[in-house]
Amino acid sequence: MESPSLIFSGGLGPMGYGVPASVGVSLARPDKKVVVVVGDGGFQMTLQELATITELDLPIVICLINNRSLGIIRQWQELYYGAPFQVELDNPDFVKLANAYHMQAKRVDSPDDILSAVKDALKLNKPVLIEVIVDENEDIPLPE
């Protein structure tokens, strides 16, 4: 079995990079499975790429982490300023949005369901969005 590859933007943080990059990877390497993990804030910066993905029928699996906020920004603001400032998001229904672009979509809210959702999506060999609901106060490990 061939080992997977990882494409990332140097700092792992520019919002809006993931979905367009996944389109480029899928076009450049049509023999590869493409899974992109993107936050809800960054996704909304380039969600129009769903039109490109579905029009070209690119078999990209989008794992959308929905914490209803700009999570990393909230976390840094709480760390340095004691409170977040304007980072909460009033998100659309991402499953309905994907369906509007003629893309299959699923919402999961349990860590136990994520792996099976991704495996099922990869078997379809079609564009799929998996919305992963997470706690809005969940932090990630930060560099010191």
Side-chain angles (χ1 to χ4, degrees), residues 113-124:
D113 297 335
I114 296 169
L115 184 57
S116 64
V118 172
K119 285 181 178 180
D120 291 345
L122 287 169
K123 288 178 194 171
L124 295 174

Side-chain angles (χ1 to χ4, degrees), residues 22-90:
S22 73
V23 170
V25 169
S26 186
L27 290 171
R29 300 294 300 271
D31 57 314
K32 296 287 187 180
K33 302 276 186 187
V34 177
V35 178
V36 59
V37 178
V38 63
D40 49 352
F43 176 74
Q44 290 194 75
M45 298 178 92
T46 58
L47 62 85
Q48 70 275 11
E49 293 298 337
L50 295 182
T52 304
I53 292 168
T54 55
E55 183 177 325
L56 298 176
D57 199 28
L58 299 175
I60 297 171
V61 176
I62 300 170
C63 294
L64 171 63
I65 308 301
N66 185 354
N67 62 358
R68 295 160 304 287
S69 70
L70 303 176
I72 191 70
I73 295 171
R74 174 201 53 80
Q75 190 174 340
W76 280 110
Q77 287 178 347
E78 287 177 347
L79 181 67
Y80 285 103
Y81 306 111
F85 303 93
Q86 301 297 320
V87 294
E88 293 85 17
L89 299 176
D90 185 14

